[in-house]
């Protein structure tokens, strides 16, 4: 293989904060599945013998590592190879970050066209990472998928983090250290023909929330 043409999972994989070796392996598989949480976790569960699964307390770390190794060796699933949806003119991007009290954090993003999801994404961000960074990572996750898979005329970004809104779209400098996400976010936004943001209140539904929570659960896997 040409060293300038890395495998699909490496091309798709996004920057992460510190993760345990086990959570890192899960993140590698998620990248192979283009961060589509449900098919990736279903594949892991199917590859683990017995009735266990990724989050079953009876499943050992070695069983998870073995299952992920087999799936990585098999390569991307057919449904993920080159899948795009460029026929949409306007999309809505929901994003959300989640962090447990002791630091495991995850990011979620859902891309919708005409209220129909075309991508439902999630990932671990870091084993000891705060919620602000998870919110940046969620926006990065969604925009990366959006710019890679769609070519819409306009995008509405629905987000509940005023910290991210003020930093990315506001006039004042942010004190939050969010690199490398903030630079990548700005780069992705610059490629969109038109976009706007909507602040979500806590009471507003956000389909990205559940995926961010699962991402945080993955970040909590393994010691360290």
């Amino acid at each position: 293989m040409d060293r300038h043409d890395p495998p699909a999972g490496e091309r798709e994989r996004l920057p992460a904060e510190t993760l345990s070796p086990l959570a890192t392996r899960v993140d590698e598989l998620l990248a192979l599945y283009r961060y589509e949480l449900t098919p990736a976790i279903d594949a892991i569960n199917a590859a683990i013998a017995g009735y266990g699964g990724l989050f079953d307390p009876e499943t050992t770390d070695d069983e998870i590592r073995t299952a992920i190794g087999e799936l990585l060796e098999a390569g991307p699933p057919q449904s993920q190879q080159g899948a795009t949806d460029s026929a949409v003119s306007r999309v809505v991007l929901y994003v959300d970050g989640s962090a447990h009290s002791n630091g495991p954090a995850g990011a979620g993003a859902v891309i919708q066209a005409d209220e129909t999801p075309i991508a439902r994404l999630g990932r671990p961000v870091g084993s000891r990472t705060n919620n602000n960074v998870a919110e940046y990572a969620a926006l990065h996750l969604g925009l990366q998928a959006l710019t890679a898979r769609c070519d819409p005329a306009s995008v509405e970004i629905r987000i509940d983090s005023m910290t991210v809104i003020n930093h990315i779209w506001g006039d004042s400098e942010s004190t939050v250290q969010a690199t490398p996400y903030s630079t990548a976010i700005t780069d992705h936004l610059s490629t969109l023909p038109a976009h706007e943001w909507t602040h979500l209140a806590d009471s507003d539904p956000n389909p990205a929330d559940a995926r961010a929570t699962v991402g945080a659960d993955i970040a909590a896997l393994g010691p360290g």
Side-chain angles (χ1 to χ4, degrees):
M1 179 178 293
D2 190 327
R3 64 181 179 179
H4 298 298
D5 185 20
E10 291 182 19
R11 292 197 302 271
E12 194 83 11
R13 194 170 179 196
L14 300 178
E17 308 298 307
T18 301
L19 290 168
S20 73
L22 186 60
T24 297
R25 289 293 279 171
V26 178
D27 189 53
E28 290 174 10
L29 184 68
L30 288 175
L32 193 68
Y33 279 67
R34 305 180 79 187
Y35 293 100
E36 293 280 0
L37 266 180
T38 298
I41 292 177
D42 286 348
I44 295 171
N45 292 347
I48 295 173
Y51 295 98
L54 179 63
F55 296 117
D56 190 314
E58 298 300 317
T59 302
T60 67
D61 291 356
D62 283 343
E63 287 174 323
I64 296 173
R65 279 191 288 267
T66 298
I68 291 173
E70 293 171 354
L71 292 167
L72 289 171
E73 182 67 24
Q78 190 66 35
S79 62
Q80 296 294 322
Q81 295 182 19
T84 60
D85 195 341
S86 59
V88 298
S89 61
R90 176 176 172 80
V91 303
V92 175
L93 170 62
Y94 287 91
V95 297
D96 196 22
S98 175
H100 297 327
S101 58
N102 61 343
V110 173
I111 303 171
Q112 292 185 349
D114 297 324
E115 299 186 357
T116 300
I118 58 177
R120 289 174 278 204
L121 317 168
R123 60 167 304 212
V125 176
S127 58
R128 302 181 188 278
T129 301
N130 65 46
N131 190 73
N132 276 338
V133 173
E135 296 282 2
Y136 281 91
L139 181 54
H140 182 198
L141 170 67
L143 288 171
Q144 192 272 348
L146 179 67
T147 55
R149 306 185 199 186
C150 306
D151 187 21
S154 64
V155 179
E156 179 190 355
I157 299 164
R158 298 181 182 175
I159 180 173
D160 63 10
S161 172
M162 285 305 303
T163 298
V164 176
I165 290 171
N166 289 334
H167 180 197
I168 299 299
W169 292 284
D171 295 328
S172 59
E173 287 292 325
S174 171
T175 59
V176 176
Q177 298 299 311
T179 55
Y181 309 106
S182 52
T183 300
I185 288 167
T186 302
D187 289 345
H188 285 311
L189 289 173
S190 70
T191 69
L192 299 176
H195 77 276
E196 60 184 344
W197 58 266
T198 298
H199 177 242
L200 296 177
D202 291 341
S203 58
D204 292 329
N206 187 344
D209 174 70
R211 283 149 187 85
T213 300
V214 175
D217 292 340
I218 293 172
L221 291 172

